[in-house]
Amino acid sequence: MVKLIIGGTGSGKTKELIDQVNTAVKEEKGSVVCISRGNKLTFDISHDARLIDATDYPVKGYDSLLGFLCGIHAGNYDITRVFIDGLYKIADSGRDAAKAEAFLTALDAFSKEHSVNFTVSLSEDISAVTEGMKQFL
């Protein structure tokens, strides 16, 4: 399952994501991973979640990000939840809703195959959401 948190800058997406990470750490039987750009969440999320700073790795584009996520899972099959804070920033491919939709669709297929649930925040106006993205809201 892929769940999308969408809203404009300053709308509280990161706060909602932090709350969900901390809740997941308490409720999930498997490992919880949170990927962000920079280390701004270090003191906000539980130390029981694995926080990954995407800038420490050469992630550029949606294919690269999908490969990165697959590699994280391959290294730890116990991961049950992955949170991505700021898809456009982490993918570093500009604000292209069609490409983001294709990535989310591929991520959903990976999720179903490997029983990993993803929550992704996206800074985007709700009117710019594609029809394909609406299934993840």
Side-chain angles (χ1 to χ4, degrees), residues 67-87:
F68 181 67
L69 292 167
C70 291
I72 291 169
H73 181 263
N76 181 354
Y77 291 115
D78 292 336
I79 295 172
T80 56
R81 291 291 302 268
V82 177
F83 296 86
I84 302 172
D85 185 31
L87 180 61

Side-chain angles (χ1 to χ4, degrees), residues 2 12 18 29-30 33 45 56 65 79 104 113 117 119 134:
V2 174
I18 289 167
K29 296 192 186 313
V33 174
I45 67 167
D56 289 342
L65 178 56
I79 295 172
L104 292 169
E113 185 175 335
N117 292 321
T119 301
K134 289 180 181 177

